[in-house]
Amino acid sequence: MKSTFPTMKAPKQTHRSKTIISPPPNPNLAPATDTLPKSQHANPNSVSTVSIIAQKLQLSDPKTLISQPQNPNLSPPSATYTSSKCLNSHPLSTIVILAQNPQFSGLKTLLRCLQSNRKFSTPETRIIGLIQSCASSKMVKEALDLFFAMPHLRCQPSTTSLNALLSVLCDTDSFHLVPELLIKTLEMNIRLDASSFRILIGSLCRIGKLGFAIELLRLMPDQGCWPDSGFYAEILCKLCEFGEFSEIYGFLDEMKDAGFFPDKIAYAIVIDSLAKGGRLNEARAILNRMKLEGAKPDTITYTSMMDGFYKIGEFKQAGEVFDEMLAMGLVPDVFTYSVYINGLCRERKLEEAKEVLCVMREMGCRPNVITYNTLIRTFCSDGNLRRADELVAEMGSNGVCGNSVTYRTLINAYLREGMVVEANELLVQMVGKGFFPHFSTWEALLSSTVFKWDILQALNALEELISPLSR
């Protein structure tokens, strides 16, 4: 995936302490303290920044759905919620009922009642509850109408209610409406806060618009908002997820300039993504950078590196990574041993792989079914069914149960050797243990049975084979 990333230099931040990245928190709404009074004018720089943000967020052709009415566009009273009923009961109770089960006809009637009841000022928290309830029903226009109707209900909208509306738009695939909304809220003297940026950047990351997310991150200080470690963690992880490997180095430098360093979990994600993408030299460079910054790599990081080197046939470098891990005082786990054994099997060093299996048990690390399947598959591919059967027996004695992969591997190996009876017996055993064979296994077994015997014998064998399934 090719994308164009902004080249703007990240703003320098002063008097910031180095903060370790942890997984980004959920976008909580900020307190309603960021509304500029009508008597004040917004900072000209902030106004300009919001306009730039709105322009940057124009990801596609604008689809206008937002209208800011002078008076709310309210329908006549419905049969469900009449005006007299609204006025005779406390408005808050009706708002709570609607927030739990939104009904648009009742909602419009309630707004009409609230507007006419000049003794009652609608609490902003209740309007926010109604706006949030619109998300589950994808009532985007209704959420917008609620927001812009707030002044007519004697309720001044703030950053908190704006964030609620932004969440609705982002959660309902209505991101194309965000730019227009930002322009209109600018006219209402509502400014963005850190939670607003978290919602917008999180949504951009989810849809893969990482260049826009990074540029939005850089615009935050112009709004008086300073990104925390969570912003950087989310974008870094998404760069890895979407395969934007060429941007990782630059973004890590930008994080460093801002006073943040990834923790070992974030580094592990980066190294694992690079390794899976076959970019092992870059993964090695990130590993070295990680150690220089004082973050100690863990077993998971080294295992990812080993697996990557084995997959591209760099067996020597994979062995060096394993040795380095041991030198760091790290203890291999079952996944590390499984990757190591798989690498030795790729080199066709089966005796060494079997020795590592023994060492693994001696070190108190119990092999799992994946470890055994790796060796069984390799012995079967070499036609050494005796050793494969020995491993199956060893699995049972060590309390490790085979899975569908184990049975399929053995059945296919038996069929290649013309051992149809043994393959049949294994398939019956497989079905008896609750593993359903793949279609290719049925097809291969039936073809081999027909080839070895006549048609009648093959049908009898097949009937005997599938009879347990009908019980």
Side-chain angles (χ1 to χ4, degrees):
M1 181 180 64
K2 186 176 181 180
S3 61
T4 303
F5 283 78
T7 57
M8 296 170 56
K9 184 170 178 62
K12 293 281 186 178
Q13 298 185 23
T14 57
H15 307 293
R16 303 278 307 209
S17 60
K18 296 180 181 179
T19 307
I20 298 299
I21 282 186
S22 56
N26 293 327
N28 297 320
L29 297 179
T33 58
D34 294 323
T35 304
L36 298 176
K38 287 191 174 184
S39 59
Q40 288 183 315
H41 294 289
N43 187 318
N45 292 331
S46 298
V47 173
S48 175
T49 303
V50 172
S51 301
I52 293 172
I53 292 171
Q55 183 180 10
K56 297 293 183 185
L57 294 180
Q58 288 283 7
L59 305 181
S60 59
D61 295 334
K63 301 176 182 178
T64 302
L65 182 62
I66 300 175
S67 58
Q68 187 176 354
Q70 295 298 321
N71 293 298
N73 183 20
L74 304 176
S75 65
S78 66
T80 308
Y81 293 90
T82 63
S83 298
S84 58
K85 186 174 181 179
C86 283
L87 292 172
N88 291 335
S89 63
H90 199 286
L92 283 180
S93 62
T94 311
I95 293 175
V96 171
I97 293 172
L98 282 175
Q100 294 172 344
N101 184 22
Q103 302 176 36
F104 187 43
S105 59
L107 179 62
K108 290 191 292 186
T109 303
L110 174 64
L111 293 179
R112 183 186 180 94
C113 295
L114 292 174
Q115 184 185 11
S116 61
N117 188 350
R118 299 187 179 279
K119 295 182 180 180
F120 179 75
S121 296
T122 310
E124 184 187 20
T125 54
R126 299 303 182 182
I127 299 296
I128 289 174
L130 287 174
I131 290 173
Q132 291 171 334
S133 69
C134 290
S136 58
S137 304
K138 298 189 181 300
M139 298 164 62
V140 176
K141 188 176 186 306
E142 291 77 0
L144 290 165
D145 289 344
L146 269 170
F147 179 78
F148 287 114
M150 289 176 68
H152 305 284
L153 305 177
R154 292 159 298 283
C155 177
Q156 184 64 30
S158 71
T159 305
T160 309
S161 46
L162 170 62
N163 288 345
L165 182 56
L166 286 174
S167 294
V168 172
L169 297 182
C170 293
D171 292 342
T172 56
D173 299 324
S174 302
F175 197 85
H176 58 278
L177 297 173
V178 170
E180 187 182 355
L181 173 64
L182 294 182
I183 293 298
K184 289 188 177 295
T185 53
L186 180 62
E187 298 168 0
M188 299 166 69
N189 287 329
I190 302 175
R191 70 185 184 190
L192 302 178
D193 67 356
S195 293
S196 313
F197 281 99
R198 193 180 299 280
I199 294 166
L200 295 173
I201 289 174
S203 182
L204 287 168
C205 285
R206 283 193 298 273
I207 62 178
K209 301 293 184 180
L210 303 179
F212 289 98
I214 292 174
E215 190 157 357
L216 212 58
L217 182 76
R218 294 168 179 166
L219 289 171
M220 286 182 66
D222 293 338
Q223 282 289 106
C225 304
W226 296 99
D228 59 22
S229 61
F231 287 92
Y232 289 96
E234 182 167 16
I235 294 176
L236 181 62
C237 291
K238 289 298 180 179
L239 285 172
C240 297
E241 180 181 330
F242 285 95
E244 297 287 356
F245 302 126
S246 60
E247 305 299 328
I248 289 177
Y249 267 104
F251 191 70
L252 286 173
D253 289 338
E254 189 166 325
M255 289 175 62
K256 184 177 179 180
D257 290 342
F260 299 106
F261 291 95
D263 62 5
K264 66 179 182 180
I265 296 176
Y267 266 126
I269 293 172
V270 173
I271 292 172
D272 181 63
S273 300
L274 290 170
K276 287 179 178 177
R279 305 169 77 104
L280 274 304
N281 290 333
E282 295 172 54
R284 168 64 85 174
I286 294 292
L287 181 67
N288 293 334
R289 176 175 180 153
M290 177 182 183
K291 291 188 290 185
L292 287 173
E293 292 178 357
K296 183 181 178 181
D298 58 11
T299 303
I300 297 173
T301 305
Y302 279 108
T303 302
S304 299
M305 290 280 295
M306 286 173 57
D307 190 41
F309 278 122
Y310 277 129
K311 285 180 178 177
I312 64 173
E314 295 288 347
F315 304 118
K316 182 180 179 181
Q317 293 194 58
E320 291 174 354
V321 171
F322 185 72
D323 292 339
E324 181 181 324
M325 182 184 71
L326 297 179
M328 292 282 291
L330 297 172
V331 179
D333 58 16
V334 63
F335 301 104
T336 310
Y337 278 118
S338 296
V339 168
Y340 192 28
I341 289 173
N342 183 50
L344 292 172
C345 289
R346 284 171 176 264
E347 290 187 85
R348 317 313 292 178
K349 296 180 178 180
L350 299 186
E351 294 306 318
E352 289 186 36
K354 192 70 170 63
E355 289 176 8
V356 172
L357 185 68
C358 296
V359 171
M360 183 179 178
R361 290 196 300 268
E362 291 172 1
M363 296 296 293
C365 185
R366 183 186 179 191
N368 60 19
V369 66
I370 297 175
T371 315
Y372 280 109
N373 281 348
T374 300
L375 280 164
I376 291 170
R377 182 183 66 246
T378 308
F379 280 122
C380 286
S381 65
D382 284 357
N384 196 339
L385 297 184
R386 181 183 63 81
R387 296 295 299 275
D389 288 337
E390 289 175 358
L391 281 170
V392 173
E394 182 181 316
M395 284 176 65
S397 63
N398 289 328
V400 180
C401 298
N403 58 15
S404 59
V405 175
T406 313
Y407 282 105
R408 283 202 302 267
T409 302
L410 290 169
I411 290 170
N412 290 333
Y414 279 129
L415 292 176
R416 284 196 301 269
E417 297 296 324
M419 303 169 67
V420 179
V421 175
E422 292 81 356
N424 271 323
E425 291 173 354
L426 267 177
L427 189 56
V428 171
Q429 184 182 351
M430 177 183 182
V431 173
K433 290 194 175 182
F435 301 116
F436 196 78
H438 193 271
F439 175 77
S440 60
T441 305
W442 289 102
E443 186 178 32
L445 185 59
L446 183 58
S447 299
S448 299
T449 305
V450 172
F451 178 77
K452 191 171 180 66
W453 300 322
D454 59 30
I455 297 295
L456 182 60
Q457 287 177 304
L459 290 174
N460 290 335
L462 182 61
E463 182 180 359
E464 180 182 351
L465 181 66
I466 64 176
S467 59
L469 299 176
S470 59
R471 294 172 186 169

